Amino acid sequence: QSRLPASTNVDESETIFGKVFDSVEPTQDIVILNTEKGFVPSSIRLKKGLKYMIHVVNVNDKEKNVSFVLDAFGEHHATYFGKITSFRLDPKKEGVYSFQCPETSLEGRLTVINPPAPAVGRVPASEDGR
């Protein structure tokens, strides 16, 4: 019976663990509900350069099959009552963008901001010395 020694050189990216851990990107999940009265939340703030997973859920009992359109990012999705529709978003440009449901004329706002620069060194607990 032939066995490999414990010290073989195996490329970690070729193992199942390497594939799983290399493919994981840090993301933040955002849930948007499409309700009869509008989107909840109707306004979202994202940071430029970060990765997000957007989950749209249609909970509008009167309009069971509607669209979710985030045109500035090329995202156009059908949403069905009680079902989750998900997509990735990686905003690269600051600005204010709108998302809509064309069938119900509902609209929401997505604002992309530039994240603040990280503080250098130690920052005091309070600025006034208390």
Side-chain angles (χ1 to χ4, degrees):
Q1 197 178 40
S2 138
R3 290 180 35 172
L4 292 173
S7 63
T8 59
N9 292 330
V10 175
D11 184 1
E12 287 297 319
S13 66
E14 295 301 316
T15 67
I16 187 69
F17 294 112
K19 289 178 182 177
V20 168
F21 290 112
D22 285 345
S23 66
V24 175
E25 297 175 349
T27 60
Q28 181 177 350
D29 290 307
I30 306 287
V31 176
I32 301 172
L33 300 178
N34 185 346
T35 73
E36 186 178 331
K37 296 186 181 197
F39 289 107
V40 177
S42 61
S43 183
I44 299 169
R45 285 180 50 168
L46 305 179
K47 293 180 182 177
K48 179 176 102 174
L50 296 183
K51 297 179 187 316
Y52 297 90
M53 180 62 81
I54 308 296
H55 308 281
V56 181
V57 184
N58 180 3
V59 293
N60 185 341
D61 196 29
K62 291 185 178 180
E63 298 287 339
K64 297 189 182 226
N65 301 316
V66 293
S67 304
F68 178 86
V69 178
L70 181 55
D71 210 25
F73 292 88
E75 297 293 341
H76 305 89
H77 301 277
T79 62
Y80 304 101
F81 183 76
K83 303 290 182 186
I84 299 171
T85 301
S86 300
F87 59 93
R88 293 185 188 277
L89 200 61
D90 183 7
K92 297 190 184 315
K93 186 176 179 185
E94 295 174 57
V96 178
Y97 308 96
S98 65
F99 51 90
Q100 301 93 18
C101 175
E103 295 84 359
T104 60
S105 300
L106 298 174
E107 190 168 316
R109 181 177 55 201
L110 183 141
T111 304
V112 178
I113 62 170
N114 198 13
V120 178
R122 294 183 57 140
V123 179
S126 65
E127 293 295 324
D128 61 1
R130 285 191 244 170

